Amino acid sequence: MAQKITPDLVKKRMAGERVSLVGGAGFIGHNLALALRQIGVEVQIVDNLMQNNMLANVSDMDIDDFRRQLNHNFLVQRFEMMRNAGVVMDNADARSMTDLAETLKRFQPTKIVHLSAISSAVDAKKVPGHCFDLQLVTLRNVLEFTRLFPNEVNEVVFMSSSTVYGDFETETVDENVRPRPYGIYANAKFMGERLIRTYHDQYGLGITIIRPSALYGERCISRRVSQVFIENALMGKPLLLEGGGDGRLDFTYIEDLVDGIIRSMAATAGAGSSNTFNITFGNARTILELANVVKSVVPNAILEERPRDVIKPIRGTLSTERAREHLNFVPNWPLEVGYKRYCEWYVDQWERTRHRMEFN
Ligand SMILES: NC(=O)c1ccc[n+]([C@@H]2O[C@H](COP(=O)([O-])OP(=O)(O)OC[C@H]3O[C@@H](n4cnc5c(N)ncnc54)[C@H](O)[C@@H]3O)[C@@H](O)[C@H]2O)c1
């Protein structure tokens, strides 16, 4: 019988591992890098800062100066925290095999986590070719690097998405449900899953596929509903509730996801093994419930109902039963605790930025 995955076992099994995070300066990547450093793992991030990061933030014409500065502060915090934690930070474009291979060769990873993407389905739809390149050309390069140096890398982790399931036909979906992805983002994720499984089947790569959902947490600049709601509340703008806010998502706090990813790495049998896990909170909540948490932190937040958008995807709960069974994964952060903590942090950051800008 497999050993139960406990924090001590995670630490023991991860000792001596060297983990490269491709697209690692992003929201998930920098949090994962920090958590890995906390258990003593050597970490490298490889990122060209182009998407949802420094370069995008300076050139984004759609946001005002205040929120550009707020995002900038979050990004600087990421880099300062990583530098202080001893994370190796390399600037390279993973679409270039030469640049990526050179950067990885320097660090000599034993595990590689692939995160680079346009991480928003809405944004990806606007630039499908770019979506393809950032998700799949970069993944191809990671897989080829791993195939060419099979004795060095024991596992590739691919950050897929709950969107591969498409519209949920049942209240809860588990990993055995046949994916029916819709749109360029979800289909590129599914193609990525097929590609990495093919490298496992044909070249014996150790692989893990993670399917997260609706993440929120400190220093995220992705402008998903969890960030838009708290910002709107702080700007006196309404929190729009389509169809009364009855749409449901499996909102997940970043700490739960990071915990699940690290457990999956510790549980892997290395080269030749293959696993797919839903890593979410495991209980879909409504948009209205999300808005109510904002209201508990910003009492004058305005909640406003709107007619439902007919083409909104139908989502729900991702079962985390497999992760519980194999990884002893138990999420710790329900919405009323995790999202509230995030909203309070956001209010504090908002005030600090305003103060700093007023006195500059
Ligand atoms: N955040 C979520 O809710 C969520 C949910 C499901 C899946 N995912 C997936 O997880 C992964 C990470 O998500 P995130 O929220 O951290 O996204 P993010 O946008 O914050 O980070 C992505 C990072 O990839 C980098 N990148 C893009 N193209 C690159 C390239 N060619 N070379 C090097 N770096 C490059 C970007 O600069 C950015 O720092 C993505 O693949 C995303 O699709 C995220």
Side-chain angles (χ1 to χ4, degrees):
M1 207 176 108
Q3 242 181 310
K4 189 172 172 181
I5 304 291
T6 60
D8 280 349
L9 187 63
V10 167
K11 212 168 169 178
K12 196 165 138 206
R13 290 219 180 139
M14 292 299 286
E17 298 286 359
R18 301 175 62 80
V19 182
S20 286
L21 309 179
V22 176
F27 171 54
I28 298 176
H30 86 279
N31 279 293
L32 180 57
L34 293 170
L36 284 167
R37 286 299 299 138
Q38 266 179 11
I39 55 167
V41 174
E42 297 297 331
V43 185
Q44 173 195 44
I45 61 158
V46 181
D47 204 300
N48 64 353
L49 313 182
M50 69 180 288
Q51 195 66 41
N52 225 358
N53 213 306
M54 283 292 182
L55 296 181
N57 193 47
V58 289
S59 58
D60 186 349
M61 304 307 279
D62 292 337
I63 57 168
D64 52 70
D65 285 348
F66 176 78
R67 281 180 302 153
R68 192 194 324 284
Q69 186 59 47
L70 190 70
N71 281 350
H72 181 79
N73 293 347
F74 295 170
L75 292 167
V76 170
Q77 284 176 31
R78 289 183 190 177
F79 294 111
E80 282 178 349
M81 290 169 89
M82 287 197 286
R83 193 177 52 229
N84 293 339
V87 174
V88 176
M89 294 189 262
D90 280 310
N91 189 336
D93 190 326
R95 286 171 297 183
S96 156
M97 183 64 186
T98 321
D99 288 1
L100 181 70
E102 205 168 280
T103 312
L104 292 176
K105 265 309 242 182
R106 233 184 359 253
F107 182 74
Q108 297 193 321
T110 56
K111 293 181 186 290
I112 304 178
V113 184
H114 180 278
L115 301 123
S116 73
I118 297 178
S119 61
S120 144
V122 176
D123 292 345
K125 189 181 173 196
K126 295 176 195 155
V127 280
H130 203 45
C131 161
F132 187 96
D133 290 353
L134 299 196
Q135 282 199 34
L136 293 174
V137 173
T138 57
L139 179 63
R140 168 232 186 248
N141 288 345
V142 166
L143 293 173
E144 276 296 275
F145 176 86
T146 311
R147 183 179 69 86
L148 295 170
F149 301 101
N151 299 327
E152 293 174 20
V153 179
N154 62 50
E155 183 187 15
V156 177
V157 180
F158 176 57
M159 216 45 62
S160 182
S161 164
S162 57
T163 58
V164 295
Y165 292 114
D167 280 345
F168 288 22
E169 289 185 337
T170 46
E171 187 78 2
T172 301
V173 293
D174 66 21
E175 294 85 345
N176 295 319
V177 168
R178 186 161 176 264
R180 295 185 316 127
Y182 174 79
I184 186 72
Y185 172 82
N187 273 290
K189 284 292 180 200
F190 188 52
M191 284 186 248
E193 290 195 3
R194 299 291 304 221
L195 191 61
I196 189 172
R197 282 201 193 100
T198 302
Y199 270 71
H200 161 74
D201 293 344
Q202 304 210 315
Y203 309 106
L205 260 56
I207 63 155
T208 303
I209 293 168
I210 304 283
R211 293 175 178 159
S213 165
L215 294 164
Y216 61 86
E218 290 81 351
R219 301 174 300 283
C220 184
I221 62 163
S222 301
R223 304 202 45 70
R224 293 189 179 83
V225 62
S226 48
Q227 184 182 7
V228 171
F229 269 17
I230 181 67
E231 283 196 347
N232 281 3
L234 289 166
M235 290 187 293
K237 290 188 182 173
L239 282 55
L240 301 180
L241 303 171
E242 286 183 17
D246 63 353
R248 296 165 73 240
L249 284 172
D250 196 341
F251 291 106
T252 306
Y253 189 42
I254 186 67
E255 287 199 15
D256 279 334
L257 173 71
V258 162
D259 177 48
I261 298 172
I262 297 178
R263 282 170 184 271
S264 79
M265 288 187 199
T268 187
S273 72
S274 163
N275 271 309
T276 301
F277 293 109
N278 291 337
I279 302 284
T280 66
F281 186 72
N283 181 18
R285 304 292 300 274
T286 65
I287 304 293
L288 176 61
E289 286 171 317
L290 187 81
N292 281 334
V293 177
V294 173
K295 206 161 172 58
S296 74
V297 177
V298 184
N300 55 1
I302 307 155
L303 276 49
E304 198 173 292
E305 291 197 19
R306 282 285 160 93
R308 192 191 318 277
D309 180 345
V310 280
I311 54 158
K312 268 262 157 10
I314 302 162
R315 311 292 297 280
T317 295
L318 279 77
S319 164
T320 54
E321 190 53 30
R322 184 187 285 181
R324 194 192 58 73
E325 193 183 315
H326 292 268
L327 311 177
N328 191 23
F329 169 70
V330 181
N332 281 315
W333 296 93
L335 203 64
E336 281 71 16
V337 184
Y339 186 56
K340 184 161 188 271
R341 173 166 128 153
Y342 165 71
C343 286
E344 286 165 352
W345 174 85
Y346 215 98
V347 173
D348 179 58
Q349 294 291 315
W350 188 274
E351 289 309 321
R352 281 170 194 261
T353 303
R354 194 159 61 185
H355 192 259
R356 231 176 284 150
M357 283 180 82
E358 271 171 16
F359 287 93
N360 268 339

